Amino acid sequence: MNGRLDDTFARLRQQRRKALIPFLTAEYPDPERFKPAVDATCSSGADILEIGFPHSDPLADGPVIQRSSHRAIVNGFTVSRGFAAIRSIAAAHSLPIVVMCYSNLIFRAGLSRFLGECRDSGVSGLIVPDMILEESDKLRSTCARRDVAYIGLVTPTTPKDRAASIAEFGSGFLYLVSVTGTTGTRTRLDPKLRQSATRIKKQTALPVCIGFGISTPDMAAEAARYADGVIIGSKIIELIDSDNGDGHFRNLRGFMAEVAGRLGGNP
Amino acid sequence: MPEAKRRGYYGEFGGRFVPETLVAALDELESCFLRVRGDVAFRRELAKLLRDFGGRPTPLYLAENLTRRWKGARIYLKREDLNHTGAHKINNTIGQVLLARRLGKTRIVAETGAGQHGTATAAVCAMMGLRCVVYMGSHDIHRQQPNVLRMRYLGAEVREVNAGLATLKEATSEAIRDWVTNVATTHYIIGSTVGPHPYPAIVREFQSVIGRETRSQIRRVARRLPDYVIACIGGGSNALGIFSSFLGDQTVKLIGVESAGKGLRPGQHAAALAKGTPGILHGTRSYVLQDSDGQISLTTTISAGLDYPGVGPQHAHFKKTGRVAYRTVPDRDAVAAFHELCANEGIIPALESSFALAYARRLARRTKPKQIIVVNLSGRGDKDMQSVLEYERQTR
């Protein structure tokens, strides 16, 4: 599975394209319309899919993703339903899927069981927003045993040496958080982002993907100039919210296609 | 490395489960804390402020009327309610504001449940000239009006949090999010012995003044150590503060009291040690009230200050090792104890402290007159009078 992320980035490099990675909260906006929302992103230019498992206390998330998580939990989300949803996405689409999940859900399930479920349902990588390098030994080794990439996060406050260690111990790709803050749409990119992306690119051979705050095709295109991919979360959730209920997610498709175009793709 | 030796761990509990953005700030805080702990100038400044601004030392009071009524051990109350701003919270706040100043931070964020920690933080920030933002659940804003007013008069901005049950858990999450966003200028003063390392160690250190005073006071007046020390537990800071000086004395039984709320059924209480399971909440691994998937559970208790689904990692460790006994008391017994202290000793206790008092009452019946029970009266109850009134209206 790990290889699928590597293959995807290798193919994108050949095509001189950058990865477009939409983030969707599992079972959002509701269990029925989640699959059509996923289909809409997959058929309009997604290269990798990030699925967030809702948590009651998502410390790294801003109001939009918090609200989506809360709603999914109220609607009855469970970890096993999350994996079932991923199984059906993996059956219908060929792109790699990465899961974003807070540490308590993983520990509660048991590392081995959780990662086993990841592998069996077709998950290629795992992002844990509240897991720092020093706490991640067991999780990383379990990921390696189950052939699931452990995707590390680097932020603007991460010192240089530490960023190198995070890159070294991670796999799949490196997640470069573009802001000092929580998830949520911003109107422009941090001017220092270019510098930190360039620096981190020199420190690792892993693909570097930029996320947090990207809300327009322009911002995506700019971030993609320094990185190998962009991750878009809150904006995707907002576009799902703006759907008129017919299940076509036209706004979402339109946005995705435009961004994909700016990243070099032709959806 | 064996787990017990890992940085910030107490047995299997503690650690740091936070967004990467905070790691540098936690490292900086830790090294600053280690530096000032042995620094004479820092200790002198802290001691002076605790004395002249905070009102320390607080008395150890022999509650003769309660002792007579309960017909058992002598009951002593450690009067943390007499601290400036009305609770033990100020001990930690003074210490952490001094730390923040050494870190060069100009803005403080805090969370508050009952409002005692928020009030203490607001007061010290006012005195030191720091900007202060306090996050508070809207449910708690409603049930703790006097403290909301106090914080505002003291110049703090009180930000209402409406997520979830709108209590301490949600306020804490929101304060952490603020800190993640403004970490360059902002220090987060967490109010209890919870949160990521080094917070549990810092808060314990600043609250340990309660234990040191109690130990020397009881030895002076009774010429011996107490048989029991009892404190209430939400996050567990007042308990850890008073327990800290007696941990090595095996003859002193230490008892932490959690709120059983309306009863120990799921969602009806706030007893994380009694009914929780190991999990991660707000950056630390400890006992947590959670469902089978790891989603944090709802809590219920009359006391806003105890309304928290987690507990400090050191308490989790003491539960495992058995050094501290953890017990629960339902809301109705705490309210009864509240009235008993008001009517018999002329002291209005915080509802939080009333849980400890209620357990002391239960315990006193099994003790002898020669024995000594010390109850940490962690705060005063002026803020809680509305809550008691509403509780009695509903249960009448």
Side-chain angles (χ1 to χ4, degrees):
Chain A
M1 301 279 169
N2 206 336
R4 290 187 59 190
L5 285 170
D6 300 345
D7 293 348
T8 299
F9 283 105
R11 181 172 48 78
L12 288 168
R13 248 192 311 273
Q14 266 181 358
Q15 298 171 346
R16 296 177 170 281
R17 281 173 51 205
K18 301 299 173 73
L20 170 51
I21 310 175
F23 167 94
L24 287 90
T25 300
E27 295 205 328
Y28 187 80
D30 52 54
E32 292 71 38
R33 286 187 296 160
F34 176 56
K35 181 132 191 313
V38 166
D39 294 344
T41 58
C42 290
S43 64
S44 53
D47 296 298
I48 296 165
L49 202 58
E50 183 184 346
I51 305 291
F53 277 14
H55 182 42
S56 54
D57 295 81
L59 290 184
D61 285 303
V64 173
I65 293 176
Q66 259 186 73
R67 203 162 41 235
S68 71
S69 299
H70 177 70
R71 217 161 102 196
I73 292 169
V74 168
N75 284 334
F77 170 86
T78 60
V79 168
S80 65
R81 270 165 59 165
F83 282 121
I86 286 173
R87 224 169 273 133
S88 86
I89 298 167
H93 301 280
S94 60
L95 81 182
I97 299 166
V98 300
V99 161
M100 186 285 292
C101 185
Y102 282 85
S103 54
N104 196 41
L105 302 194
I106 301 171
F107 282 113
R108 185 74 173 148
L111 300 188
S112 206
R113 205 182 110 205
F114 190 92
L115 268 306
E117 285 263 30
C118 281
R119 184 194 54 194
D120 295 346
S121 60
V123 172
S124 298
L126 183 62
I127 299 167
V128 190
D130 62 342
M131 174 68 68
I132 61 170
L133 187 64
E134 291 80 356
E135 301 284 356
S136 67
D137 283 19
K138 277 186 193 156
L139 182 57
R140 278 188 286 114
S141 60
T142 315
C143 280
R145 262 203 311 283
R146 304 289 186 172
D147 200 22
V148 172
Y150 179 81
I151 297 161
L153 295 106
V154 168
T155 72
T157 61
T158 309
K160 199 174 163 202
D161 293 351
R162 184 176 171 82
S165 305
I166 292 170
E168 186 190 332
F169 287 107
S171 56
F173 65 85
L174 189 64
Y175 195 132
L176 175 60
V177 174
S178 71
V179 297
T180 302
T182 54
T183 60
T185 57
R186 267 80 168 174
T187 49
R188 61 190 197 96
L189 291 174
D190 185 334
K192 285 191 212 130
L193 181 62
R194 175 185 206 135
Q195 207 183 333
S196 49
T198 311
R199 193 182 71 191
I200 197 89
K201 288 284 288 173
K202 283 188 193 136
Q203 291 178 289
T204 180
L206 282 179
V208 174
C209 298
I210 294 178
F212 280 43
I214 296 170
S215 66
T216 67
D218 280 350
M219 288 166 80
E222 193 190 336
R225 276 209 291 278
Y226 346 120
D228 302 287
V230 294
I231 302 157
I232 306 180
S234 297
K235 181 67 185 177
I236 299 283
I237 301 289
E238 285 174 9
L239 288 164
I240 289 174
D241 290 340
S242 76
D243 180 49
N244 58 11
D246 65 1
H248 289 300
F249 296 101
R250 284 191 186 83
N251 297 340
L252 176 59
R253 283 172 196 273
F255 176 83
M256 283 288 297
E258 199 185 339
V259 176
R262 298 292 296 276
L263 302 188
N266 28 319
Chain B
M1 224 190 298
E3 265 193 324
K5 297 230 174 88
R6 278 162 65 195
R7 208 165 65 158
Y9 271 86
Y10 310 91
E12 62 182 282
F13 302 104
R16 265 185 199 176
F17 298 87
V18 292
E20 168 65 24
T21 303
L22 297 179
V23 172
L26 288 168
D27 281 344
E28 192 191 10
L29 176 61
E30 184 186 21
S31 58
C32 183
F33 172 62
L34 292 174
R35 218 170 34 242
V36 301
R37 206 155 55 160
D39 181 83
V40 178
F42 182 90
R43 300 210 68 97
R44 200 177 293 142
E45 190 175 11
L46 176 63
K48 183 171 185 299
L49 284 172
L50 285 173
R51 186 188 67 221
D52 299 344
F53 186 72
R56 301 208 71 90
T58 58
L60 183 70
Y61 170 69
L62 174 61
E64 291 187 50
N65 297 332
L66 282 190
T67 301
R68 250 195 312 279
R69 279 173 72 88
W70 294 351
K71 299 187 174 68
R74 266 175 296 159
I75 309 293
Y76 283 90
L77 305 176
K78 178 59 176 166
R79 297 289 309 275
E80 291 299 295
D81 61 313
L82 291 177
N83 277 304
H84 178 43
T85 69
H88 71 289
K89 297 291 187 185
I90 194 106
N91 305 328
N92 170 50
T93 306
I94 290 175
Q96 284 209 47
V97 168
L98 290 179
L99 272 181
R101 217 173 48 179
R102 277 181 173 53
L103 290 166
K105 310 276 176 163
T106 54
R107 179 176 178 269
I108 299 292
V109 291
E111 84 295 333
T112 200
Q116 290 302 102
H117 173 57
T119 303
T121 306
V124 182
C125 285
M127 187 262 290
M128 298 267 202
L130 292 168
R131 274 185 65 202
C132 178
V133 173
V134 180
Y135 289 89
M136 189 170 188
S138 50
H139 179 59
D140 291 338
I141 285 182
H142 168 74
R143 58 177 163 173
Q144 300 287 342
Q145 267 303 320
N147 272 340
V148 176
L149 273 182
R150 256 193 283 272
M151 285 185 273
R152 291 196 169 130
Y153 291 154
L154 290 165
E157 180 191 341
V158 180
R159 290 197 188 157
E160 185 172 335
V161 180
N162 285 304
L165 276 189
T167 58
L168 183 55
K169 170 175 82 88
E170 290 77 19
T172 306
S173 295
E174 215 42 54
I176 293 174
R177 288 193 191 97
D178 182 313
W179 192 36
V180 171
T181 306
N182 301 297
V183 65
T185 58
T186 300
H187 175 62
Y188 173 33
I189 302 192
I190 203 160
S192 195
T193 50
V194 299
H197 173 70
Y199 279 106
I202 291 177
V203 180
R204 171 184 162 162
E205 168 86 11
F206 289 141
Q207 290 297 358
S208 64
V209 64
I210 308 172
R212 282 196 304 276
E213 283 178 12
T214 304
R215 191 183 170 91
S216 77
Q217 286 166 327
I218 196 75
R219 289 178 73 164
R220 197 165 58 238
V221 296
R223 310 234 163 261
R224 55 179 286 241
L225 292 176
D227 298 281
Y228 298 92
V229 177
I230 304 176
C232 66
I233 305 227
S237 71
N238 87 83
L240 217 48
I242 194 163
F243 292 166
S244 61
S245 287
F246 300 101
L247 288 168
D249 305 303
Q250 295 305 320
T251 58
V252 182
K253 294 186 185 66
L254 307 174
I255 301 169
V257 184
E258 296 186 295
S259 171
K262 293 177 181 167
L264 288 173
R265 298 171 304 278
Q268 297 296 301
H269 60 86
L273 286 160
K275 289 286 169 183
T277 44
I280 293 163
L281 174 64
H282 295 142
T284 193
R285 187 178 142 81
S286 186
Y287 280 87
V288 174
L289 295 169
Q290 57 183 330
D291 69 12
S292 58
D293 248 15
Q295 308 292 0
I296 306 306
S297 305
L298 306 182
T299 45
T300 305
T301 165
I302 188 178
S303 166
L306 302 184
D307 205 352
Y308 186 67
V311 63
Q314 289 152 313
H315 287 295
H317 182 55
F318 289 142
K319 176 188 160 85
K320 274 249 155 139
T321 61
R323 177 61 190 99
V324 180
Y326 295 95
R327 302 286 182 259
T328 64
V329 160
D331 285 351
R332 63 172 181 282
D333 292 6
V335 172
F338 170 91
H339 284 301
E340 202 168 356
L341 193 69
C342 290
N344 292 287
E345 295 287 358
I347 299 169
I348 302 177
L351 273 173
E352 290 86 343
S353 321
S354 303
F355 283 82
L357 211 55
Y359 189 80
R361 180 182 203 271
R362 201 189 288 174
L363 178 70
R365 292 192 211 114
R366 292 188 265 125
T367 54
K368 298 184 185 71
K370 273 188 184 162
Q371 292 185 293
I372 295 173
I373 296 175
V374 173
V375 179
N376 197 19
L377 202 73
S378 56
R380 69 176 185 226
D382 312 41
K383 69 193 171 68
D384 291 316
M385 293 188 294
Q386 193 62 32
S387 294
V388 172
L389 196 68
E390 271 176 36
Y391 177 85
E392 284 168 349
R393 245 186 232 141
Q394 281 164 18
T395 52
R396 203 165 37 211

